[in-house]
Amino acid sequence: ADGSLTIALIDVTGHGVAAALAVNRLHGELKRALAQNPDAEPAAVITALNEYIHLTLADEQVFATAVALRARPDGAVSLCIAGHPPPLLRRLDGTISALDSTAAMLGMLGPQEFDAESTDVVLAPGELLVLYTDGAIEAQDRGGKQLGIAGVRRLVAGLGSPEPDHAVATILEHKARFDPLGKMPKQVSSPQPMSQMDALAEAVPPALRTLRAFAAVDVVTVLKRGEKPVNWVGLVDELP
């Protein structure tokens, strides 16, 4: 009602059909939780996801990292980061702040042991918040060198334009150079603004809500004050 946007970016352990099915289950749980409480704060979203994973997926050795955030029209952003690669906050002068985890990896701890906290930042006009999955940082060149968090951080710091679509394109261009196969994953959605979603569960866009099985999905999401997020979803292989 206040124009806020809630985003959840989830990365499950494993690959192939099992991981794809786990993502689909988490997507359903996330939709249920947000339908029950559309104004849920990020720490509450992460706590609910941890309980679900611990009770239903951990016995199958499926765990997850995640970022949940709630962005308000005035630029205030509240985040809860559960063992996920650190979101990068790019200020107007090009300086970068990496936001540390505020909760443990999802599913490892039971509800009584799990503690989730939020961290708050404010995006001034022109500043960016960059979220990504480990597909961006684990991309390797032919010599086996990973791009890494430091590499993504350098890319974001050196952006020539503060526009989200430019940030996404820059990261993807350099990721391609570090692809061990010398090619990019197939593209599912172009770097363009998407309609507001209550949640972005493993960045599955609306067209893929009835999820078929995917071997791997790489995600880059860039948020700018007062604008819809720009998302890129890369599909490595679709399973039969």
Side-chain angles (χ1 to χ4, degrees):
D2 64 355
S4 294
L5 171 69
T6 296
I7 294 176
L9 183 61
I10 306 170
D11 193 0
V12 302
T13 56
H15 300 283
V17 174
L21 292 176
V23 167
N24 202 25
R25 291 167 65 181
L26 286 170
H27 182 224
E29 173 60 16
L30 192 57
K31 288 181 68 178
R32 183 207 63 78
L34 288 172
Q36 189 174 48
N37 183 9
D39 298 322
E41 290 299 319
V45 173
I46 290 295
T47 297
L49 288 173
N50 177 75
E51 182 173 10
Y52 181 83
I53 294 172
H54 183 77
L55 294 176
T56 66
L57 294 172
D59 62 341
E60 302 169 23
Q61 297 301 301
V62 175
F63 304 97
T65 66
V67 179
L69 70 80
R70 187 168 176 82
R72 296 172 175 79
D74 63 0
V77 182
S78 181
L79 306 95
C80 187
I81 307 159
H84 199 79
L88 301 176
L89 176 60
R90 185 185 189 273
R91 295 300 188 184
L92 285 174
D93 61 2
T95 58
I96 302 295
S97 298
L99 306 180
D100 295 330
S101 285
T102 59
M105 187 176 187
L106 301 181
M108 302 291 290
L109 301 175
Q112 302 303 317
E113 304 168 286
F114 187 78
D115 183 36
E117 298 180 356
S118 293
T119 185
D120 298 318
V121 300
V122 177
L123 289 177
E127 294 182 337
L128 302 178
L129 183 63
V130 180
L131 313 177
Y132 51 93
T133 55
D134 57 12
I137 59 178
E138 292 179 355
Q140 298 180 355
D141 63 16
R142 295 182 184 277
K145 179 183 177 181
Q146 291 189 350
L147 179 60
I149 294 174
V152 175
R153 182 171 181 151
R154 286 193 299 271
L155 294 177
V156 175
L159 290 173
S161 166
E163 295 306 315
D165 56 351
H166 176 71
V168 170
T170 298
I171 294 172
L172 296 181
E173 177 186 352
H174 284 78
K175 173 179 162 52
R177 299 177 186 176
F178 277 76
D179 190 309
L181 300 179
K183 62 181 181 180
M184 285 293 294
K186 288 179 288 184
Q187 188 170 311
V188 174
S189 67
S190 300
Q192 58 184 355
M194 295 172 62
S195 58
Q196 180 168 326
M197 300 165 59
D198 285 334
L200 186 63
E202 185 60 346
V204 176
L208 301 179
R209 287 297 175 81
T210 53
L211 184 69
R212 291 180 290 177
F214 299 119
V217 177
D218 293 338
V219 182
V220 178
T221 296
V222 180
L223 185 66
K224 184 178 181 181
R225 176 174 174 170
E227 298 183 11
K228 295 176 181 179
V230 173
N231 307 300
W232 184 89
V233 183
L235 171 62
V236 176
D237 279 310
E238 184 175 352
L239 304 175

